[in-house]
Amino acid sequence: MDAVHDSGAESFREFVASRSSALLKTAVLLSGGDRHAGEDLLQNALIKVAGKWSRVEDPEAYVRQVLYRQQIGRWRLKWPRREVSYGEVPDSAGTEGGASSAELRVVVREALGRLTARQRTVLVLRYFEDLPEADVARLLGCSVGTVRSTTHRSLARLRALVPELGPGIPGPPPSRDYAPVEVRP
């Protein structure tokens, strides 16, 4: 029994070592750009998964599902919004383009932080995680129509908060939830 437990613990450690960076990016985005809140979100998700590790078939998908569910729980509780502060200005790579992209990341991160948690979660799932609308609806426990309208309103709000991105932020991509339909005359 100890050998099975030890191999499961080792497997969990290897998973965390190899995937925590990518999972943290998602958690930070879900947390509105707040790295500390993202770290807390990921740590809590990993704690929940660790106890069930031996029964988990697809670890990456399962951990992401726990992250999403925890974030949904956070915005359903209507936690007060915390202000995001930066200790120092991001360092540019010495190029003009590097500075503008760093500034743009800060502006977008701040704008994401000003969206509601629900709006932010929908945008992260649709565009960062590249999930189809039906999957987002299933994860959030709502209809596809709700996902579409929330996506539309969220992008409009993001464009209003960051006007310099106006034309740069595309509208919602065509839905991948439906097969193309051939129309015959």
Side-chain angles (χ1 to χ4, degrees):
M1 180 69 180
D2 287 334
V4 171
H5 179 68
D6 290 342
S7 69
E10 183 61 30
S11 168
F12 181 73
R13 277 190 218 101
E14 289 173 6
F15 172 79
V16 170
S18 68
R19 298 303 304 152
S20 62
S21 177
L23 292 168
L24 180 59
K25 287 178 185 177
T26 300
V28 169
L29 285 172
L30 287 170
S31 300
D34 184 341
R35 182 168 176 91
H36 297 292
E39 288 171 348
D40 290 345
L41 183 65
L42 178 58
Q43 183 175 10
N44 289 335
L46 291 173
I47 288 169
K48 288 182 177 187
V49 171
K52 300 174 183 177
W53 188 252
S54 62
R55 299 183 305 259
V56 175
E57 291 180 25
D58 184 357
E60 178 94 11
Y62 191 79
V63 171
R64 288 182 184 278
Q65 178 84 14
V66 172
L67 279 173
Y68 306 147
R69 295 284 181 199
Q70 282 189 281
Q71 182 60 22
I72 291 167
R74 284 182 174 183
W75 54 259
R76 284 188 177 153
L77 289 174
K78 298 184 181 180
W79 283 12
R81 215 182 271 278
R82 292 186 294 171
E83 185 175 316
V84 177
S85 60
Y86 299 93
E88 58 187 59
V89 176
D91 187 20
S92 70
T95 64
E96 192 173 319
S100 65
S101 68
E103 291 170 2
L104 187 59
R105 282 193 305 270
V106 171
V107 169
V108 170
R109 182 178 298 145
E110 288 174 352
L112 283 171
R114 293 177 60 194
L115 296 176
T116 67
R118 182 181 188 101
Q119 290 173 325
R120 188 172 49 248
T121 301
V122 168
L123 290 180
V124 168
L125 292 175
R126 285 287 291 134
Y127 297 106
F128 184 75
E129 293 293 320
D130 198 28
L131 293 176
E133 292 168 337
D135 289 352
V136 174
R138 183 181 45 76
L139 285 169
L140 299 180
C142 63
S143 70
V144 172
T146 299
V147 171
R148 287 180 183 155
S149 63
T150 302
T151 300
H152 178 76
R153 284 192 305 273
S154 302
L155 288 173
R157 176 87 172 124
L158 198 57
R159 286 184 191 106
L161 292 170
V162 188
E164 61 265 31
L165 290 179
I169 298 177
S175 175
R176 296 180 296 160
D177 298 334
Y178 305 103
V181 176
E182 183 180 331
V183 179
R184 296 178 189 205

